[in-house]
Amino acid sequence: MTDVTDHSWSPWWCDLPADVLNRIAEYLPYVEQIKLRYVCKSWRSNINPVKHLAYKSPWVMSYREETEENYNGWFLHPFHSRSLFYLYDPSQKRKYTLVNEVVVGAKVHACKHGWLLFSKKKHLFFYTPFAHKIIHLPENHEYLCSNNAATFSASPTSPDCVVFVISTVHSDHHKLYLSTSRPGERTWSNFSFDGDYGEIESLAFVGGVFYCLFSDGVMGSFKVEQQEWKIIHPKTTTTDATNHRCLIESRDDSNLFMTYNNELSPILRYDQSENKWFEVGNLDNRMLFLGVTSMLLPLPAEEGPQTYDWIKDNLRKIWIQPCHC
């Protein structure tokens, strides 16, 4: 007879051999693999993380941008306010509904490594829908205003993660405000610089440098280690009020790319030594995913090309990569 007061006792299925568990996990879709690892501590330690996520097609996350006023108002049903996110797995053509009130009224800034960076009032935080984890950042009362953009360098679980915020204040068009912090830190490092370069169009991080593209055509660079801000006037760029330009990170070779957010535009690579943009002939077995969160990813060889025309909702959409989380 089993002594039920013995807290070391566990169900028989928690003692399945690791090779059996991993064989089972291989046949499950990604989300189910995550759920399987959370059944018990034994399974979490014995089931290997999903392999080759970098070579998977990105998922689509659709969301409704609600304000706190709308959420608390009489005209928005509370159930609809809570069901803000939908995840679409292209390999399985499956839709997952996510319920999370924490992100109501929050603004999406960036998405990398399966993590989203949100701001809400003076507060920034990371959230991953794959494991429902939140990583908070310190409040920034000085430079976090409504006219800002933000991104980050690496997964927030990595010691290399740096969060970068750049803001302009409508009452003072001749100042730029920059802030940096890391997960786990209690304060922000704040900087201000002279300059008026129009609206902030796009941010990217490559090779230890944050880049910011402005609407008048100039580009700013902020070197993290040196805490140095520099304005660059790259040649061969043009402004086009009808199209928004996107900076695109290439993490595997530290190249910076740019294109307009439409499929007919050329793709340009920035050459730092010559301070020029050069048109790119091919992407070397990589695919470009354009949108609110643009990505340059290796070809998903295992899955083959994916189509997304089966996604029919009318909400805003971003690309998001599955992660180990």
Side-chain angles (χ1 to χ4, degrees), residues 62-76:
S62 66
Y63 64 99
R64 182 185 296 112
E65 281 195 326
E66 306 292 4
T67 64
E68 288 187 326
E69 290 77 11
N70 287 347
Y71 177 61
N72 294 322
W74 61 269
F75 54 90
L76 190 62

Side-chain angles (χ1 to χ4, degrees), residues 242-261:
T242 63
N243 285 305
H244 184 87
R245 291 171 298 173
C246 305
L247 291 178
I248 305 148
E249 304 173 0
S250 177
R251 301 171 201 151
D252 51 355
D253 57 10
S254 294
N255 272 313
L256 179 67
F257 295 90
M258 185 198 74
T259 187
Y260 290 97
N261 61 345

Side-chain angles (χ1 to χ4, degrees), residues 59-65 83-88 95-96 98 311-320:
W59 290 29
V60 172
M61 192 183 83
S62 66
Y63 64 99
R64 182 185 296 112
E65 281 195 326
S83 300
L84 289 175
F85 295 93
Y86 302 97
L87 277 178
Y88 295 93
K95 174 183 178 180
Y96 299 90
L98 305 176
I311 301 174
K312 301 298 184 182
D313 70 56
N314 295 319
L315 303 178
R316 292 199 67 181
K317 296 175 177 62
I318 62 175
W319 301 108
I320 181 168

Side-chain angles (χ1 to χ4, degrees), residues 122-258:
K122 301 293 184 179
H123 178 213
L124 280 95
F125 61 94
F126 289 101
Y127 169 68
T128 173
F130 297 105
H132 296 291
K133 291 182 181 178
I134 294 176
I135 297 177
H136 293 281
L137 292 162
E139 288 191 351
N140 189 354
H141 291 282
E142 286 194 64
Y143 294 160
L144 189 60
C145 58
S146 58
N147 187 29
N148 63 58
T151 190
F152 55 103
S153 60
S155 168
T157 60
S158 165
D160 298 324
C161 180
V162 179
V163 181
F164 174 80
V165 181
I166 181 168
S167 307
T168 58
V169 181
H170 289 298
S171 60
D172 186 358
H173 291 287
H174 301 286
K175 283 284 187 182
L176 293 172
Y177 301 95
L178 277 62
S179 300
T180 61
S181 188
R182 298 174 184 267
E185 291 185 350
R186 296 185 177 182
T187 59
W188 288 82
S189 298
N190 294 315
F191 313 89
S192 63
F193 300 93
D194 294 329
D196 179 11
Y197 309 104
E199 298 295 322
I200 301 165
E201 285 199 341
S202 186
L203 296 179
F205 176 85
V206 291
V209 180
F210 286 101
Y211 292 93
C212 179
L213 191 62
F214 295 94
S215 58
D216 69 353
V218 305
M219 187 167 66
S221 67
F222 184 78
K223 294 183 178 179
V224 176
E225 293 298 325
Q226 294 82 1
Q227 297 185 341
E228 176 185 288
W229 173 255
K230 180 181 178 182
I231 289 294
I232 305 169
H233 296 270
K235 300 175 183 178
T236 72
T237 59
T238 59
T239 58
D240 185 345
T242 63
N243 285 305
H244 184 87
R245 291 171 298 173
C246 305
L247 291 178
I248 305 148
E249 304 173 0
S250 177
R251 301 171 201 151
D252 51 355
D253 57 10
S254 294
N255 272 313
L256 179 67
F257 295 90
M258 185 198 74

